[in-house]
Amino acid sequence: MISAEAVGWKVGGAQILDDVSLSVGAGELLGIIGPNGAGKSSFVNVLSGVTRPTTGRITLGDNDVTRASATRRARLGLSRSFQTSALFDGLTAGENVRLAVQAAGSRPFSPWRGAGSSSSEVIESLLTRVRMPGRGRTLARDLSHGERRKLELAMSLASEPSVLLLDEPMAGVSAEDVDGLTEIIGEVRDAGVAVAMVEHHMHVVLGLADRVAVLHHGELLAVGAPAEVTSDERVQQAYLGEAL
């Protein structure tokens, strides 16, 4: 569904990403790991159109989107979350989702709602999907950190994406909320969405990912099945340590 071919990104004289080739298929979850400064968020920014690569090619489905804007990629079915909150704190949870639904325009909503559903039903369906039924009237500022992350997921799903990019969705949440978010993301993948997820919680990555990619100094160090990657001596030396 989305593919990066020999992608590089340079800022001034600094090579942030260097010859990275990765793809994610429908119904697959790719976990992206690596030490701080490895280029993980930069890679997600390149995939989503926030940053244009210096070299290489990005395709989304059958479309070459290398030079396309983030808005164009969203219209073609890509959605993403960010490390930091992107909620409107003065609005309710339902109003935040409503804005996301309206921004989605005419994109289909088939996996999450039936044809002809009202706006209120769509919003409640999305909130229920992320384990927040009946929370639509709660102000975003009054939600727990875990609920805020769930709400951000609901907003990301409002466009019915075929590709979902997640940048550290578990950051700062409690262990209980990590389990809930893990279940939700697994359900999204199982519904046929291509998911690429940057995450530092290794038990989440190893439990969810179909494949794991390791970035190190902006280069792709290893990619493969979780067990294969975690047993790679280069990966252990660069990032995972002796604990694995």
Short mmCIF file of all heavy atoms in Angstrom, two decimals, residues 19-93:
data_model
loop_
_atom_site.label_atom_id
_atom_site.label_comp_id
_atom_site.label_asym_id
_atom_site.label_seq_id
_atom_site.Cartn_x
_atom_site.Cartn_y
_atom_site.Cartn_z
N ASP A 19 19.29 6.12 1.91
CA ASP A 19 19.02 4.92 1.12
C ASP A 19 18.10 3.94 1.87
O ASP A 19 18.40 2.75 1.97
CB ASP A 19 20.34 4.24 0.75
CG ASP A 19 20.15 3.20 -0.36
OD1 ASP A 19 19.23 3.36 -1.17
OD2 ASP A 19 20.94 2.23 -0.38
N VAL A 20 16.97 4.44 2.37
CA VAL A 20 16.04 3.60 3.12
C VAL A 20 14.94 3.09 2.17
O VAL A 20 14.25 3.88 1.54
CB VAL A 20 15.39 4.37 4.28
CG1 VAL A 20 14.37 3.49 5.00
CG2 VAL A 20 16.46 4.86 5.24
N SER A 21 14.81 1.78 2.08
CA SER A 21 13.76 1.16 1.27
C SER A 21 12.91 0.26 2.16
O SER A 21 13.41 -0.70 2.74
CB SER A 21 14.37 0.33 0.13
OG SER A 21 15.06 1.15 -0.79
N LEU A 22 11.62 0.60 2.26
CA LEU A 22 10.69 -0.16 3.08
C LEU A 22 9.31 -0.08 2.45
O LEU A 22 8.97 0.91 1.79
CB LEU A 22 10.60 0.40 4.50
CG LEU A 22 11.72 0.07 5.48
CD1 LEU A 22 11.57 0.89 6.75
CD2 LEU A 22 11.73 -1.42 5.82
N SER A 23 8.50 -1.12 2.65
CA SER A 23 7.13 -1.09 2.17
C SER A 23 6.24 -1.74 3.21
O SER A 23 6.69 -2.53 4.05
CB SER A 23 7.00 -1.83 0.83
OG SER A 23 7.34 -3.20 0.98
N VAL A 24 4.95 -1.39 3.17
CA VAL A 24 3.95 -1.97 4.06
C VAL A 24 2.75 -2.35 3.22
O VAL A 24 2.22 -1.52 2.46
CB VAL A 24 3.51 -0.99 5.17
CG1 VAL A 24 2.70 -1.72 6.22
CG2 VAL A 24 4.71 -0.29 5.80
N GLY A 25 2.30 -3.59 3.35
CA GLY A 25 1.17 -4.07 2.58
C GLY A 25 -0.14 -3.97 3.35
O GLY A 25 -0.15 -3.72 4.56
N ALA A 26 -1.23 -4.16 2.65
CA ALA A 26 -2.55 -4.13 3.27
C ALA A 26 -2.64 -5.21 4.34
O ALA A 26 -2.21 -6.35 4.13
CB ALA A 26 -3.63 -4.35 2.21
N GLY A 27 -3.17 -4.86 5.50
CA GLY A 27 -3.32 -5.82 6.58
C GLY A 27 -2.01 -6.21 7.23
O GLY A 27 -1.93 -7.25 7.89
N GLU A 28 -0.99 -5.38 7.08
CA GLU A 28 0.32 -5.65 7.68
C GLU A 28 0.69 -4.52 8.62
O GLU A 28 0.38 -3.36 8.37
CB GLU A 28 1.39 -5.76 6.59
CG GLU A 28 2.79 -6.04 7.15
CD GLU A 28 3.88 -6.05 6.10
OE1 GLU A 28 3.74 -5.33 5.08
OE2 GLU A 28 4.87 -6.77 6.30
N LEU A 29 1.35 -4.86 9.72
CA LEU A 29 1.87 -3.85 10.63
C LEU A 29 3.39 -3.94 10.65
O LEU A 29 3.96 -4.98 10.99
CB LEU A 29 1.32 -4.02 12.04
CG LEU A 29 1.59 -2.83 12.98
CD1 LEU A 29 0.44 -2.65 13.97
CD2 LEU A 29 2.90 -2.99 13.75
N LEU A 30 4.02 -2.84 10.27
CA LEU A 30 5.48 -2.73 10.29
C LEU A 30 5.87 -1.90 11.50
O LEU A 30 5.48 -0.74 11.63
CB LEU A 30 5.99 -2.05 9.02
CG LEU A 30 7.50 -1.78 8.97
CD1 LEU A 30 8.27 -3.08 8.81
CD2 LEU A 30 7.83 -0.81 7.83
N GLY A 31 6.62 -2.50 12.42
CA GLY A 31 7.14 -1.77 13.56
C GLY A 31 8.48 -1.16 13.21
O GLY A 31 9.34 -1.83 12.63
N ILE A 32 8.65 0.11 13.51
CA ILE A 32 9.89 0.82 13.21
C ILE A 32 10.55 1.20 14.53
O ILE A 32 9.98 1.94 15.33
CB ILE A 32 9.63 2.08 12.36
CG1 ILE A 32 8.91 1.71 11.07
CG2 ILE A 32 10.94 2.80 12.06
CD1 ILE A 32 8.46 2.90 10.25
N ILE A 33 11.75 0.67 14.76
CA ILE A 33 12.44 0.90 16.02
C ILE A 33 13.85 1.42 15.75
O ILE A 33 14.33 1.41 14.61
CB ILE A 33 12.50 -0.37 16.89
CG1 ILE A 33 13.34 -1.45 16.21
CG2 ILE A 33 11.11 -0.90 17.20
CD1 ILE A 33 13.60 -2.68 17.08
N GLY A 34 14.49 1.85 16.81
CA GLY A 34 15.86 2.35 16.71
C GLY A 34 16.14 3.33 17.83
O GLY A 34 15.21 3.84 18.46
N PRO A 35 17.39 3.58 18.10
CA PRO A 35 17.74 4.52 19.18
C PRO A 35 17.31 5.94 18.86
O PRO A 35 16.97 6.26 17.71
CB PRO A 35 19.27 4.40 19.26
CG PRO A 35 19.67 3.92 17.90
CD PRO A 35 18.58 3.04 17.42
N ASN A 36 17.29 6.80 19.86
CA ASN A 36 16.97 8.20 19.63
C ASN A 36 17.91 8.79 18.58
O ASN A 36 19.12 8.53 18.60
CB ASN A 36 17.09 9.00 20.93
CG ASN A 36 16.01 8.63 21.93
OD1 ASN A 36 14.91 8.21 21.55
ND2 ASN A 36 16.31 8.78 23.21
N GLY A 37 17.34 9.55 17.67
CA GLY A 37 18.15 10.16 16.62
C GLY A 37 18.42 9.26 15.44
O GLY A 37 19.19 9.62 14.54
N ALA A 38 17.75 8.10 15.40
CA ALA A 38 18.00 7.15 14.31
C ALA A 38 17.34 7.55 13.01
O ALA A 38 17.68 7.02 11.95
CB ALA A 38 17.51 5.75 14.71
N GLY A 39 16.36 8.48 13.07
CA GLY A 39 15.67 8.91 11.86
C GLY A 39 14.26 8.37 11.74
O GLY A 39 13.64 8.50 10.67
N LYS A 40 13.71 7.82 12.81
CA LYS A 40 12.38 7.18 12.75
C LYS A 40 11.27 8.19 12.42
O LYS A 40 10.50 7.99 11.49
CB LYS A 40 12.08 6.46 14.07
CG LYS A 40 13.13 5.44 14.47
CD LYS A 40 12.75 4.73 15.76
CE LYS A 40 12.66 5.64 16.96
NZ LYS A 40 13.96 6.29 17.31
N SER A 41 11.19 9.25 13.21
CA SER A 41 10.16 10.26 12.96
C SER A 41 10.41 10.97 11.64
O SER A 41 9.45 11.34 10.94
CB SER A 41 10.11 11.28 14.11
OG SER A 41 9.64 10.67 15.30
N SER A 42 11.66 11.17 11.28
CA SER A 42 11.97 11.78 9.99
C SER A 42 11.46 10.92 8.85
O SER A 42 10.93 11.43 7.85
CB SER A 42 13.48 11.98 9.85
OG SER A 42 13.97 12.88 10.81
N PHE A 43 11.57 9.61 9.00
CA PHE A 43 11.08 8.70 7.96
C PHE A 43 9.56 8.78 7.86
O PHE A 43 9.00 8.82 6.76
CB PHE A 43 11.53 7.27 8.27
CG PHE A 43 11.11 6.27 7.23
CD1 PHE A 43 11.60 6.36 5.94
CD2 PHE A 43 10.23 5.25 7.55
CE1 PHE A 43 11.21 5.44 4.97
CE2 PHE A 43 9.85 4.32 6.59
CZ PHE A 43 10.33 4.43 5.29
N VAL A 44 8.87 8.83 8.99
CA VAL A 44 7.41 8.97 8.98
C VAL A 44 7.02 10.29 8.33
O VAL A 44 6.05 10.36 7.56
CB VAL A 44 6.84 8.86 10.41
CG1 VAL A 44 5.36 9.23 10.43
CG2 VAL A 44 7.03 7.45 10.95
N ASN A 45 7.76 11.35 8.61
CA ASN A 45 7.48 12.65 8.00
C ASN A 45 7.64 12.60 6.49
O ASN A 45 6.87 13.23 5.75
CB ASN A 45 8.40 13.73 8.59
CG ASN A 45 8.01 14.11 10.00
OD1 ASN A 45 6.88 13.90 10.43
ND2 ASN A 45 8.96 14.68 10.74
N VAL A 46 8.63 11.87 6.02
CA VAL A 46 8.82 11.72 4.58
C VAL A 46 7.68 10.92 3.97
O VAL A 46 7.15 11.28 2.91
CB VAL A 46 10.18 11.06 4.28
CG1 VAL A 46 10.26 10.61 2.84
CG2 VAL A 46 11.32 12.03 4.59
N LEU A 47 7.27 9.84 4.62
CA LEU A 47 6.17 9.03 4.11
C LEU A 47 4.87 9.83 4.03
O LEU A 47 4.10 9.69 3.08
CB LEU A 47 5.96 7.80 4.99
CG LEU A 47 7.00 6.70 4.96
CD1 LEU A 47 6.58 5.57 5.90
CD2 LEU A 47 7.20 6.15 3.55
N SER A 48 4.64 10.67 5.04
CA SER A 48 3.36 11.37 5.12
C SER A 48 3.32 12.66 4.31
O SER A 48 2.25 13.24 4.12
CB SER A 48 3.03 11.69 6.58
OG SER A 48 3.97 12.58 7.14
N GLY A 49 4.47 13.14 3.84
CA GLY A 49 4.49 14.36 3.04
C GLY A 49 4.80 15.61 3.82
O GLY A 49 4.82 16.70 3.25
N VAL A 50 5.05 15.48 5.12
CA VAL A 50 5.46 16.64 5.91
C VAL A 50 6.82 17.14 5.43
O VAL A 50 7.09 18.34 5.39
CB VAL A 50 5.50 16.29 7.41
CG1 VAL A 50 6.11 17.43 8.23
CG2 VAL A 50 4.10 15.95 7.91
N THR A 51 7.69 16.19 5.05
CA THR A 51 9.02 16.49 4.53
C THR A 51 9.18 15.80 3.19
O THR A 51 8.76 14.65 3.02
CB THR A 51 10.10 15.96 5.50
OG1 THR A 51 9.91 16.55 6.79
CG2 THR A 51 11.48 16.29 4.99
N ARG A 52 9.78 16.48 2.25
CA ARG A 52 10.05 15.87 0.95
C ARG A 52 11.46 15.29 0.94
O ARG A 52 12.42 15.96 1.37
CB ARG A 52 9.91 16.90 -0.17
CG ARG A 52 8.47 17.32 -0.41
CD ARG A 52 8.34 18.23 -1.62
NE ARG A 52 6.94 18.57 -1.87
CZ ARG A 52 6.53 19.36 -2.86
NH1 ARG A 52 7.44 19.89 -3.68
NH2 ARG A 52 5.25 19.62 -3.02
N PRO A 53 11.61 14.07 0.44
CA PRO A 53 12.94 13.45 0.45
C PRO A 53 13.88 14.16 -0.53
O PRO A 53 13.45 14.73 -1.53
CB PRO A 53 12.64 12.01 0.00
CG PRO A 53 11.41 12.13 -0.84
CD PRO A 53 10.59 13.21 -0.18
N THR A 54 15.16 14.10 -0.20
CA THR A 54 16.17 14.65 -1.10
C THR A 54 16.38 13.71 -2.29
O THR A 54 16.60 14.15 -3.42
CB THR A 54 17.50 14.83 -0.34
OG1 THR A 54 17.27 15.57 0.85
CG2 THR A 54 18.52 15.57 -1.20
N THR A 55 16.33 12.41 -2.00
CA THR A 55 16.49 11.39 -3.05
C THR A 55 15.47 10.28 -2.81
O THR A 55 14.91 10.14 -1.72
CB THR A 55 17.90 10.78 -3.03
OG1 THR A 55 18.16 10.21 -1.73
CG2 THR A 55 18.96 11.82 -3.34
N GLY A 56 15.24 9.49 -3.82
CA GLY A 56 14.37 8.33 -3.69
C GLY A 56 12.95 8.60 -4.14
O GLY A 56 12.62 9.66 -4.68
N ARG A 57 12.08 7.61 -3.88
CA ARG A 57 10.71 7.64 -4.41
C ARG A 57 9.75 7.09 -3.38
O ARG A 57 10.04 6.11 -2.70
CB ARG A 57 10.67 6.80 -5.69
CG ARG A 57 9.35 6.75 -6.44
CD ARG A 57 9.58 6.08 -7.79
NE ARG A 57 8.36 5.98 -8.58
CZ ARG A 57 7.66 4.86 -8.73
NH1 ARG A 57 8.08 3.73 -8.17
NH2 ARG A 57 6.55 4.85 -9.47
N ILE A 58 8.56 7.71 -3.26
CA ILE A 58 7.49 7.25 -2.39
C ILE A 58 6.28 6.93 -3.25
O ILE A 58 5.85 7.77 -4.06
CB ILE A 58 7.10 8.31 -1.34
CG1 ILE A 58 8.30 8.80 -0.54
CG2 ILE A 58 6.01 7.76 -0.41
CD1 ILE A 58 8.87 7.79 0.41
N THR A 59 5.71 5.74 -3.09
CA THR A 59 4.48 5.40 -3.79
C THR A 59 3.42 5.03 -2.78
O THR A 59 3.69 4.39 -1.76
CB THR A 59 4.69 4.24 -4.77
OG1 THR A 59 5.25 3.11 -4.09
CG2 THR A 59 5.62 4.64 -5.91
N LEU A 60 2.19 5.45 -3.08
CA LEU A 60 1.02 5.15 -2.25
C LEU A 60 0.02 4.48 -3.16
O LEU A 60 -0.56 5.11 -4.04
CB LEU A 60 0.47 6.45 -1.67
CG LEU A 60 -0.74 6.37 -0.75
CD1 LEU A 60 -0.48 5.46 0.45
CD2 LEU A 60 -1.14 7.76 -0.27
N GLY A 61 -0.16 3.18 -2.97
CA GLY A 61 -0.94 2.41 -3.93
C GLY A 61 -0.23 2.43 -5.27
O GLY A 61 0.96 2.12 -5.37
N ASP A 62 -0.95 2.86 -6.31
CA ASP A 62 -0.36 2.96 -7.65
C ASP A 62 0.14 4.37 -7.96
O ASP A 62 0.53 4.65 -9.10
CB ASP A 62 -1.40 2.56 -8.71
CG ASP A 62 -1.81 1.10 -8.59
OD1 ASP A 62 -0.96 0.27 -8.21
OD2 ASP A 62 -2.99 0.78 -8.88
N ASN A 63 0.13 5.23 -6.96
CA ASN A 63 0.46 6.64 -7.19
C ASN A 63 1.86 6.99 -6.69
O ASN A 63 2.21 6.66 -5.55
CB ASN A 63 -0.55 7.53 -6.47
CG ASN A 63 -1.98 7.28 -6.91
OD1 ASN A 63 -2.41 7.75 -7.95
ND2 ASN A 63 -2.72 6.52 -6.10
N ASP A 64 2.62 7.67 -7.55
CA ASP A 64 3.90 8.23 -7.14
C ASP A 64 3.61 9.53 -6.41
O ASP A 64 3.13 10.50 -7.01
CB ASP A 64 4.79 8.49 -8.37
CG ASP A 64 6.20 8.94 -7.99
OD1 ASP A 64 6.36 9.57 -6.92
OD2 ASP A 64 7.13 8.68 -8.77
N VAL A 65 3.88 9.55 -5.11
CA VAL A 65 3.55 10.74 -4.30
C VAL A 65 4.81 11.42 -3.77
O VAL A 65 4.75 12.19 -2.81
CB VAL A 65 2.61 10.37 -3.13
CG1 VAL A 65 1.27 9.89 -3.65
CG2 VAL A 65 3.25 9.32 -2.22
N THR A 66 5.94 11.16 -4.39
CA THR A 66 7.22 11.68 -3.90
C THR A 66 7.17 13.19 -3.71
O THR A 66 7.70 13.72 -2.72
CB THR A 66 8.36 11.32 -4.86
OG1 THR A 66 8.33 9.91 -5.13
CG2 THR A 66 9.71 11.70 -4.28
N ARG A 67 6.56 13.89 -4.64
CA ARG A 67 6.49 15.35 -4.58
C ARG A 67 5.12 15.83 -4.14
O ARG A 67 4.86 17.04 -4.11
CB ARG A 67 6.83 15.97 -5.95
CG ARG A 67 8.05 15.39 -6.65
CD ARG A 67 9.27 15.39 -5.76
NE ARG A 67 9.71 16.72 -5.38
CZ ARG A 67 10.72 16.94 -4.55
NH1 ARG A 67 11.37 15.92 -3.99
NH2 ARG A 67 11.07 18.17 -4.24
N ALA A 68 4.23 14.91 -3.78
CA ALA A 68 2.86 15.29 -3.41
C ALA A 68 2.81 15.85 -2.00
O ALA A 68 3.59 15.47 -1.12
CB ALA A 68 1.93 14.08 -3.54
N SER A 69 1.85 16.73 -1.76
CA SER A 69 1.67 17.32 -0.45
C SER A 69 1.05 16.32 0.52
O SER A 69 0.51 15.28 0.12
CB SER A 69 0.75 18.54 -0.55
OG SER A 69 -0.57 18.12 -0.91
N ALA A 70 1.10 16.66 1.81
CA ALA A 70 0.46 15.83 2.82
C ALA A 70 -1.04 15.76 2.58
O ALA A 70 -1.67 14.72 2.77
CB ALA A 70 0.75 16.38 4.21
N THR A 71 -1.64 16.86 2.12
CA THR A 71 -3.07 16.89 1.83
C THR A 71 -3.42 15.94 0.70
O THR A 71 -4.41 15.19 0.78
CB THR A 71 -3.51 18.32 1.46
OG1 THR A 71 -3.23 19.19 2.56
CG2 THR A 71 -5.00 18.36 1.15
N ARG A 72 -2.63 15.95 -0.35
CA ARG A 72 -2.85 15.03 -1.47
C ARG A 72 -2.74 13.58 -1.01
O ARG A 72 -3.56 12.74 -1.38
CB ARG A 72 -1.83 15.33 -2.57
CG ARG A 72 -1.79 14.32 -3.71
CD ARG A 72 -3.07 14.26 -4.48
NE ARG A 72 -2.97 13.38 -5.63
CZ ARG A 72 -4.02 12.84 -6.25
NH1 ARG A 72 -5.25 13.12 -5.85
NH2 ARG A 72 -3.85 12.05 -7.29
N ARG A 73 -1.78 13.28 -0.18
CA ARG A 73 -1.61 11.91 0.31
C ARG A 73 -2.79 11.50 1.18
O ARG A 73 -3.24 10.34 1.14
CB ARG A 73 -0.29 11.77 1.07
CG ARG A 73 0.91 12.03 0.18
CD ARG A 73 2.23 11.85 0.90
NE ARG A 73 3.28 12.58 0.20
CZ ARG A 73 4.57 12.33 0.27
NH1 ARG A 73 5.00 11.35 1.03
NH2 ARG A 73 5.45 13.05 -0.40
N ALA A 74 -3.30 12.44 1.97
CA ALA A 74 -4.47 12.14 2.80
C ALA A 74 -5.66 11.80 1.92
O ALA A 74 -6.44 10.87 2.23
CB ALA A 74 -4.79 13.33 3.70
N ARG A 75 -5.84 12.51 0.84
CA ARG A 75 -6.95 12.24 -0.07
C ARG A 75 -6.81 10.88 -0.75
O ARG A 75 -7.80 10.28 -1.17
CB ARG A 75 -7.04 13.34 -1.12
CG ARG A 75 -7.53 14.67 -0.55
CD ARG A 75 -7.46 15.77 -1.56
NE ARG A 75 -7.93 17.04 -1.02
CZ ARG A 75 -7.71 18.23 -1.57
NH1 ARG A 75 -7.01 18.31 -2.69
NH2 ARG A 75 -8.17 19.32 -1.00
N LEU A 76 -5.57 10.41 -0.85
CA LEU A 76 -5.33 9.10 -1.46
C LEU A 76 -5.39 7.96 -0.43
O LEU A 76 -5.18 6.81 -0.78
CB LEU A 76 -3.95 9.09 -2.14
CG LEU A 76 -3.84 9.95 -3.41
CD1 LEU A 76 -2.38 10.03 -3.87
CD2 LEU A 76 -4.73 9.39 -4.52
N GLY A 77 -5.68 8.30 0.84
CA GLY A 77 -5.91 7.25 1.82
C GLY A 77 -4.90 7.13 2.94
O GLY A 77 -4.92 6.15 3.68
N LEU A 78 -4.01 8.13 3.10
CA LEU A 78 -3.01 8.06 4.16
C LEU A 78 -3.45 8.92 5.34
O LEU A 78 -3.91 10.05 5.16
CB LEU A 78 -1.66 8.53 3.63
CG LEU A 78 -0.47 8.40 4.59
CD1 LEU A 78 0.81 8.13 3.81
CD2 LEU A 78 -0.28 9.68 5.43
N SER A 79 -3.28 8.39 6.54
CA SER A 79 -3.54 9.15 7.75
C SER A 79 -2.39 8.89 8.72
O SER A 79 -1.72 7.86 8.63
CB SER A 79 -4.87 8.71 8.38
OG SER A 79 -5.18 9.50 9.51
N ARG A 80 -2.18 9.84 9.65
CA ARG A 80 -1.07 9.67 10.59
C ARG A 80 -1.40 10.32 11.92
O ARG A 80 -2.26 11.19 12.02
CB ARG A 80 0.22 10.25 10.03
CG ARG A 80 0.23 11.77 9.95
CD ARG A 80 1.66 12.31 9.85
NE ARG A 80 2.44 12.08 11.05
CZ ARG A 80 3.72 12.44 11.19
NH1 ARG A 80 4.36 13.02 10.20
NH2 ARG A 80 4.35 12.21 12.32
N SER A 81 -0.68 9.89 12.93
CA SER A 81 -0.71 10.54 14.24
C SER A 81 0.66 11.12 14.51
O SER A 81 1.64 10.80 13.82
CB SER A 81 -1.10 9.54 15.34
OG SER A 81 -0.01 8.64 15.58
N PHE A 82 0.73 11.99 15.53
CA PHE A 82 1.98 12.65 15.87
C PHE A 82 2.38 12.31 17.31
O PHE A 82 1.56 11.89 18.12
CB PHE A 82 1.85 14.17 15.71
CG PHE A 82 1.67 14.62 14.30
CD1 PHE A 82 0.41 14.60 13.71
CD2 PHE A 82 2.74 15.04 13.54
CE1 PHE A 82 0.23 15.01 12.39
CE2 PHE A 82 2.59 15.45 12.23
CZ PHE A 82 1.31 15.43 11.65
N GLN A 83 3.66 12.53 17.62
CA GLN A 83 4.13 12.29 18.98
C GLN A 83 3.42 13.18 19.98
O GLN A 83 3.07 12.77 21.07
CB GLN A 83 5.64 12.54 19.06
CG GLN A 83 6.50 11.48 18.42
CD GLN A 83 7.98 11.74 18.65
OE1 GLN A 83 8.37 12.33 19.65
NE2 GLN A 83 8.81 11.30 17.72
N THR A 84 3.22 14.45 19.61
CA THR A 84 2.57 15.40 20.50
C THR A 84 1.09 15.52 20.16
O THR A 84 0.68 15.29 19.02
CB THR A 84 3.24 16.78 20.40
OG1 THR A 84 3.22 17.21 19.03
CG2 THR A 84 4.67 16.71 20.88
N SER A 85 0.30 15.89 21.14
CA SER A 85 -1.15 15.95 20.98
C SER A 85 -1.56 16.97 19.94
O SER A 85 -1.01 18.07 19.86
CB SER A 85 -1.81 16.29 22.32
OG SER A 85 -3.20 16.42 22.17
N ALA A 86 -2.56 16.61 19.13
CA ALA A 86 -3.09 17.51 18.11
C ALA A 86 -4.58 17.75 18.33
O ALA A 86 -5.33 17.98 17.39
CB ALA A 86 -2.85 16.93 16.72
N LEU A 87 -5.01 17.70 19.60
CA LEU A 87 -6.43 17.88 19.92
C LEU A 87 -6.76 19.35 20.17
O LEU A 87 -5.91 20.14 20.54
CB LEU A 87 -6.78 17.06 21.17
CG LEU A 87 -6.55 15.56 21.11
CD1 LEU A 87 -6.91 14.92 22.44
CD2 LEU A 87 -7.33 14.92 19.97
N PHE A 88 -8.05 19.66 20.01
CA PHE A 88 -8.57 20.96 20.39
C PHE A 88 -9.13 20.82 21.80
O PHE A 88 -10.23 20.28 22.00
CB PHE A 88 -9.65 21.42 19.42
CG PHE A 88 -9.14 21.68 18.03
CD1 PHE A 88 -9.23 20.71 17.04
CD2 PHE A 88 -8.54 22.90 17.72
CE1 PHE A 88 -8.75 20.95 15.76
CE2 PHE A 88 -8.06 23.15 16.43
CZ PHE A 88 -8.16 22.17 15.46
N ASP A 89 -8.38 21.29 22.79
CA ASP A 89 -8.73 21.03 24.18
C ASP A 89 -10.04 21.67 24.61
O ASP A 89 -10.70 21.19 25.54
CB ASP A 89 -7.60 21.51 25.10
CG ASP A 89 -6.42 20.56 25.12
OD1 ASP A 89 -6.60 19.40 24.70
OD2 ASP A 89 -5.33 20.96 25.57
N GLY A 90 -10.42 22.78 23.97
CA GLY A 90 -11.64 23.46 24.34
C GLY A 90 -12.89 22.85 23.73
O GLY A 90 -14.01 23.29 24.04
N LEU A 91 -12.74 21.85 22.88
CA LEU A 91 -13.87 21.15 22.26
C LEU A 91 -14.06 19.80 22.93
O LEU A 91 -13.15 19.26 23.56
CB LEU A 91 -13.62 20.95 20.76
CG LEU A 91 -13.43 22.21 19.92
CD1 LEU A 91 -13.23 21.83 18.46
CD2 LEU A 91 -14.60 23.16 20.07
N THR A 92 -15.25 19.24 22.78
CA THR A 92 -15.51 17.91 23.32
C THR A 92 -14.84 16.86 22.46
O THR A 92 -14.40 17.13 21.33
CB THR A 92 -17.02 17.62 23.37
OG1 THR A 92 -17.52 17.56 22.02
CG2 THR A 92 -17.76 18.69 24.16
N ALA A 93 -14.79 15.65 22.99
CA ALA A 93 -14.24 14.54 22.22
C ALA A 93 -15.02 14.36 20.93
O ALA A 93 -14.44 14.17 19.84
CB ALA A 93 -14.29 13.26 23.05
#
